[in-house]
Structures are given as C-alpha cells and as structure tokens.
Amino acid sequence: QVQLVESGGGLVQAGGSLRLSCAASGRTFTFYAMGWFRQAPGKEREFVSSFSWSGRNTYYADSVKGRFTISRDNGKDTVYLQMSSLEPEDTAIYYCAAERTDYKLGPSPDYWGQGTQVTVSS
C-alpha cells in the first residue's frame, strides 16, 4: 500500500520557519516527481514546489520562491520543505504528492498524502 505521510506542520508567528517532511512508502519512487501542494480555507489547492524524479530540476510557485526550499534524502523516500519568512498568507493545509514524471508535478498527481496544517499568525 502506497503511503505519503506528512509531518512538521504547526503554528508559527509571521517571519518564522517550519520544516515539513513527507515519508513515502509502499513502492519505489525512483521515477516519480515529488513535491508539495497547499490549500488555504476557501481557496483551490495550488502547487507549491516539486523536483523532477532525476533531481536535476526543482520548481517553485512564484509566491514562495526565495523563501521555501525543497529537498530530499539520499534514499529518495523522504521529501522536505523548508519554509522561512513565513507569512499569514502561507496558512494552509500542505499536501505531499508524487507523480510518475520527470517534470514538474501536474494538477493530478498519482498519490497524495493526508495533509498537515500550517498556521502563520500575524
């Protein structure tokens, strides 16, 4: 059974930092791009960041570029999202996702995690 399990969410003040983790299991994700989406209350789910399965390319939404950094461990079964200079607008449920592609995550990945809440207070 394929599972993507996120952790690391929480409450933080504006300007603070959090690191999200996504542990993948149940299959080999060698040929899968992995990354993050988020969904704020009353808004549609949006792309945040991902890397191609080869690891050569990383992608960021304009709204997080320069503040968030995506990375993974050498075994490629855990993905991280380091979030800095957080803003109240970053408040959302953050979802880990995986898709069989060597490009950016598309709008309908093959696998989703259950999500982790990030709340940024002003």
Side-chain angles (χ1 to χ4, degrees), residues 3-7 21-25 36 78-79 96 112-116:
Q3 282 191 310
L4 301 178
V5 180
E6 302 97 333
S7 61
S21 300
C22 171
S25 63
W36 300 88
T78 302
V79 179
C96 181
W112 290 98
Q114 83 289 350
T116 185

Side-chain angles (χ1 to χ4, degrees), residues 10-34:
L11 174 64
V12 64
Q13 288 188 330
S17 300
L18 280 175
R19 189 176 81 154
L20 305 183
S21 300
C22 171
S25 63
R27 69 158 301 130
T28 300
F29 286 88
T30 303
F31 298 107
Y32 281 73
M34 296 186 69

Side-chain angles (χ1 to χ4, degrees), residues 47-114:
F47 172 82
V48 175
S49 179
S50 70
F51 56 80
S52 59
W53 73 259
S54 65
R56 284 193 290 266
N57 299 305
T58 55
Y59 307 92
Y60 295 93
D62 288 342
S63 59
V64 306
K65 207 170 289 184
R67 300 187 298 122
F68 291 10
T69 303
I70 192 170
S71 63
R72 65 186 180 187
D73 69 1
N74 291 335
K76 300 184 181 180
D77 59 359
T78 302
V79 179
Y80 304 98
L81 186 68
Q82 178 68 47
M83 306 184 295
S84 303
S85 301
L86 283 162
E87 304 167 353
E89 293 73 22
D90 296 315
T91 295
I93 299 174
Y94 284 71
Y95 296 91
C96 181
E99 181 179 356
R100 189 178 173 91
T101 179
D102 194 24
Y103 188 55
K104 176 183 173 182
L105 282 177
S108 300
D110 300 311
Y111 302 105
W112 290 98
Q114 83 289 350

